[in-house]
Amino acid sequence: MVYIIRKEHFNSAHRLFRPEYSDEENLRVFGKCSNPLWHGHNYVLMVTVKGEPNPETGFVMDLKILSQLIDEKVLQKLDHRNINLEVDFMKDKLASTENLAIGIWEELEPAVHASGAKLHMVRLEETENNIVEYFGNK
Amino acid sequence: MVYIIRKEHFNSAHRLFRPEYSDEENLRVFGKCSNPLWHGHNYVLMVTVKGEPNPETGFVMDLKILSQLIDEKVLQKLDHRNINLEVDFMKDKLASTENLAIGIWEELEPAVHASGAKLHMVRLEETENNIVEYFGNK
Amino acid sequence: MVYIIRKEHFNSAHRLFRPEYSDEENLRVFGKCSNPLWHGHNYVLMVTVKGEPNPETGFVMDLKILSQLIDEKVLQKLDHRNINLEVDFMKDKLASTENLAIGIWEELEPAVHASGAKLHMVRLEETENNIVEYFGNK
Amino acid sequence: MVYIIRKEHFNSAHRLFRPEYSDEENLRVFGKCSNPLWHGHNYVLMVTVKGEPNPETGFVMDLKILSQLIDEKVLQKLDHRNINLEVDFMKDKLASTENLAIGIWEELEPAVHASGAKLHMVRLEETENNIVEYFGNK
Amino acid sequence: MVYIIRKEHFNSAHRLFRPEYSDEENLRVFGKCSNPLWHGHNYVLMVTVKGEPNPETGFVMDLKILSQLIDEKVLQKLDHRNINLEVDFMKDKLASTENLAIGIWEELEPAVHASGAKLHMVRLEETENNIVEYFGNK
Amino acid sequence: MVYIIRKEHFNSAHRLFRPEYSDEENLRVFGKCSNPLWHGHNYVLMVTVKGEPNPETGFVMDLKILSQLIDEKVLQKLDHRNINLEVDFMKDKLASTENLAIGIWEELEPAVHASGAKLHMVRLEETENNIVEYFGNK
């Protein structure tokens, strides 16, 4: 078993808040991340896929194919978007890095599976200091 | 003359657009950066100040002081904010990295000058690939 | 289960030596790291905590809380300190990166546990080339 | 059990191709990586070794020793070399990052084992976006 | 005057040698960089352009346009290529980082000039430790 | 004129203090950097040299030679040393990054000059956020 990792980037706006909270309550729980007029991040996304290298190509999966698949399933929906307002798979969810990593996993997993490999990890860096890793529902 | 540099970060939302343009025209000129529902960035700010080291301290300027000054004059206004809607010194300006670097220079320059040193450069990284440097009006 | 990572920094002095060795023996075993007049590092600390995201906040643990906890339990004791002479939890231990990572784990684990999450990994980078990871006593 | 990581670099030329394919077929399968006149990379190699810290030294394994061992077994063969033409352990193999990581594991494993520690992972970064991790034949 | 910087990457093979030298002489002068079977690098290219921001767009020059121009004039010729054998503007030149930076400047300068801005610097990083900066023929 | 840059590292202990100050006064002026039991840093040193490329080699100066010269004149004195107590060229000086950069310039300048090139800049990063650049006495 060999693990391959592809690193991608996207730039999005979001805010952390619960609609049933007052602005004061959101500020108390989520701090400046609750700003009603949004803020944003340069997210760094690292996707790990595992499998046996194909003897014909030496690849677990062609990283160009993995990159296109991430672009189609994830980046097209998130890049230069408002995560709270424009991303179908984040609708009605808190836009935390944890929930975003889980959402990205669920978008990617069927497509990686269909390619014959296995999704192993989604790592999402909101800033260089705040990072989430998700290995699926286990 | 010695140059000292302090690196800081802020995370903001913005969009590039002209209010007199239609959405289509904004999209044509500014691409996905014109998204009306905003996107955002982890901006990296590097501020260079020059002067002679103080013989008593060995410092051109105490970098903790410079950091506090940047925080007070710039980060408090920009961090976790919407650059188009909430930042006084960007009001009625296009929120390009160029204009933002010039605006930051103008906020910082009087305070650095008052401290006895000279502001030399404001460098602003919108992403690791897109960077602006401004050396003042000369 | 979701994993969250917080990255912090501290700058400390240390030396590697055994008090019962002569200076020559310490030099032979520990090389230039045994310099009796100390040297130091910008340590990079990455702390991984795991748990289920809280449905109310979307957080495994608020990263600001984790950062404060690391500051209180670890950075206050290590930052701008002499690891051999001033750090209670390193007393009478060799100040290797391995022992320092284990010591940091033991300082953090009860506090993370009390917060309702689980400490998963302490990663300590002495330099960008020399790194230690510790997953607890298992 | 503690994990230690040593980061090293090497700069090599390679190409991806199958000798029984035509140039067109190699281009279709391997893209620009099949260029018959070679291209190259600054590879980043991270080697993880695990074990118990030696009570006498505080080290799982002296990182200087690990670095020398990587130099002798791997870097001397790969650095400033043509991976397809000059590297004995890659002879008759596709020079993919996957196969190179497996080859490096096989070169290192006996030497790490002989030192009393256990090789845990070989991580090879071909570019900052394309990375492979190998944990041995399991 | 504002300076904008675009960062790009290319991966190429090269060797340092003089055809009139023997292999031994090339090895003596150029070290392992003279390996006749090539080696390669992940080059990092930073291009600085200066000018006044356009009042209509806030841009000195649209960084997407600058990126396309770098791609067309430089990356298409260098990426996944052999610098000694396949790059027209390096023909009969020593493939040192210095000469490559000068060659890239000469490829880019007319196109940047035609766009109405001024090329200020070409910075080329062969490795993270070996870097060249060129400001044109002055 | 072409500029070449070599990046090097050293790890040292230091403290900021004036011997005629009390501990309280040193703490007030220099903060935690005045800790009497030292702290330390992974310093990053970038040395820029300028000149015309030698037509025979394509080099302004062989970067291996520059690296050896930096090692001999600077790193041998600073690496794994106490800057206040063990470094001849810092004797009786405040161990600020500014003074250290000036001291390194003075150590390097005659040797670079003797090689036929010109020293252009010494850049010293104490941390990734605190940086000094020195261009000589002008």
Side-chain angles (χ1 to χ4, degrees), chain C residues 122-138:
Chain C
V122 166
R123 177 182 167 107
L124 190 58
E125 308 187 1
E126 190 188 69
T127 68
E128 62 179 304
N129 297 327
N130 292 346
I131 303 167
V132 164
E133 293 178 346
Y134 184 60
F135 297 81
N137 185 15
K138 52 196 166 191

Side-chain angles (χ1 to χ4, degrees), chain D residues 55-77:
Chain D
E56 196 76 7
T57 61
F59 295 151
V60 167
M61 182 177 172
D62 186 337
L63 280 161
K64 278 196 304 296
I65 306 283
L66 179 55
S67 176
Q68 288 163 6
L69 188 156
I70 297 169
D71 183 62
E72 182 191 333
K73 298 294 180 190
V74 177
L75 303 188
Q76 300 262 1
K77 294 182 175 180

Side-chain angles (χ1 to χ4, degrees), chain E residues 16 18 21 30 94 96 98 123 128-135, chain F residues 1-7 46 55-60 62-63:
Chain E
L16 297 179
R18 295 196 68 84
Y21 287 4
F30 298 108
L94 251 154
S96 70
E98 287 89 334
R123 177 183 168 107
E128 64 179 302
N129 298 326
N130 292 348
I131 303 166
V132 164
E133 292 178 347
Y134 184 60
F135 298 80
Chain F
M1 193 75 91
V2 178
Y3 297 71
I4 62 169
I5 303 170
R6 178 71 191 178
K7 189 179 181 183
M46 301 186 87
E56 194 76 6
T57 61
F59 295 151
V60 168
D62 185 337
L63 281 162

Side-chain angles (χ1 to χ4, degrees), chain C residues 16 18 20-21 29-31 94 96 98-99 102 123 128-136 138, chain D residues 1-9 46 48 53-64:
Chain C
L16 297 180
R18 295 196 69 84
E20 70 271 27
Y21 287 5
V29 176
F30 299 107
L94 253 155
S96 69
E98 286 90 333
N99 284 344
I102 295 171
R123 177 182 167 107
E128 62 179 304
N129 297 327
N130 292 346
I131 303 167
V132 164
E133 293 178 346
Y134 184 60
F135 297 81
K138 52 196 166 191
Chain D
M1 193 75 92
V2 179
Y3 296 72
I4 62 170
I5 302 170
R6 178 71 191 177
K7 188 180 181 181
E8 303 284 351
H9 304 77
M46 303 188 85
T48 306
N54 178 329
E56 196 76 7
T57 61
F59 295 151
V60 167
M61 182 177 172
D62 186 337
L63 280 161
K64 278 196 304 296

Side-chain angles (χ1 to χ4, degrees), chain D:
Chain D
M1 193 75 92
V2 179
Y3 296 72
I4 62 170
I5 302 170
R6 178 71 191 177
K7 188 180 181 181
E8 303 284 351
H9 304 77
F10 58 92
N11 309 319
S12 310
H14 82 144
R15 66 174 292 219
L16 297 180
F17 77 113
R18 295 196 69 84
E20 69 271 27
Y21 287 4
S22 66
D23 279 3
E24 290 69 31
E25 204 167 356
N26 276 313
L27 185 64
R28 191 181 48 77
V29 176
F30 298 108
K32 59 189 177 179
C33 298
S34 70
N35 179 20
L37 292 172
W38 319 101
H39 67 284
H41 296 289
N42 300 344
Y43 289 91
V44 178
L45 172 64
M46 303 188 85
V47 174
T48 306
V49 163
K50 65 184 171 184
E52 297 295 334
N54 178 329
E56 196 76 7
T57 61
F59 295 151
V60 167
M61 182 177 172
D62 186 337
L63 280 161
K64 278 196 304 296
I65 306 283
L66 179 55
S67 176
Q68 288 163 6
L69 188 156
I70 297 169
D71 183 62
E72 182 191 333
K73 298 294 180 190
V74 177
L75 303 188
Q76 300 262 1
K77 294 182 175 180
L78 284 165
D79 189 34
H80 284 71
R81 294 291 174 188
N82 185 308
I83 296 171
N84 299 72
L85 301 181
E86 299 184 279
V87 179
D88 58 355
F89 65 83
M90 292 301 290
K91 201 166 138 57
D92 300 326
K93 292 187 196 159
L94 252 155
S96 69
T97 317
E98 287 90 334
N99 285 344
L100 189 52
I102 295 171
I104 290 170
W105 172 284
E106 288 168 357
E107 292 299 298
L108 280 176
E109 203 279 329
V112 172
H113 186 82
S115 81
K118 283 188 75 165
L119 185 58
H120 175 67
M121 179 170 74
V122 166
R123 177 184 168 106
L124 190 57
E125 310 188 359
E126 190 188 67
T127 68
E128 63 178 303
N129 298 327
N130 292 347
I131 303 166
V132 163
E133 293 178 347
Y134 184 61
F135 297 81
N137 186 14
K138 53 193 165 190

Side-chain angles (χ1 to χ4, degrees), chain E residues 1-136:
Chain E
M1 193 74 92
V2 179
Y3 297 70
I4 61 169
I5 303 169
R6 177 70 191 179
K7 188 180 181 181
E8 304 284 351
H9 302 79
F10 58 92
N11 310 319
S12 311
H14 80 145
R15 66 174 291 218
L16 297 179
F17 77 112
R18 295 196 68 84
E20 70 271 28
Y21 287 4
S22 67
D23 280 2
E24 290 68 31
E25 205 167 356
N26 276 313
L27 185 64
R28 191 182 49 75
V29 176
F30 298 108
K32 57 188 179 181
C33 297
S34 70
N35 180 20
L37 292 172
W38 320 100
H39 67 285
H41 296 290
N42 300 343
Y43 288 92
V44 179
L45 172 64
M46 302 186 86
V47 174
T48 305
V49 164
K50 64 183 171 185
E52 297 295 336
N54 178 330
E56 194 76 8
T57 60
F59 295 151
V60 168
M61 180 177 174
D62 186 337
L63 281 161
K64 276 195 305 294
I65 305 282
L66 179 55
S67 177
Q68 287 162 6
L69 189 155
I70 297 169
D71 183 61
E72 182 191 333
K73 298 294 179 191
V74 177
L75 304 189
Q76 300 262 1
K77 293 183 176 180
L78 284 165
D79 189 34
H80 284 74
R81 295 289 173 190
N82 186 307
I83 296 171
N84 300 71
L85 301 181
E86 299 183 277
V87 179
D88 57 356
F89 66 83
M90 292 302 290
K91 201 166 138 57
D92 299 327
K93 292 187 196 158
L94 251 154
S96 70
T97 316
E98 287 89 334
N99 285 344
L100 188 51
I102 295 171
I104 291 171
W105 173 283
E106 289 168 356
E107 293 299 298
L108 280 176
E109 203 279 329
V112 172
H113 186 81
S115 81
K118 283 188 75 166
L119 185 59
H120 175 67
M121 178 170 76
V122 166
R123 177 183 168 107
L124 190 57
E125 310 188 0
E126 188 187 69
T127 68
E128 64 179 302
N129 298 326
N130 292 348
I131 303 166
V132 164
E133 292 178 347
Y134 184 60
F135 298 80

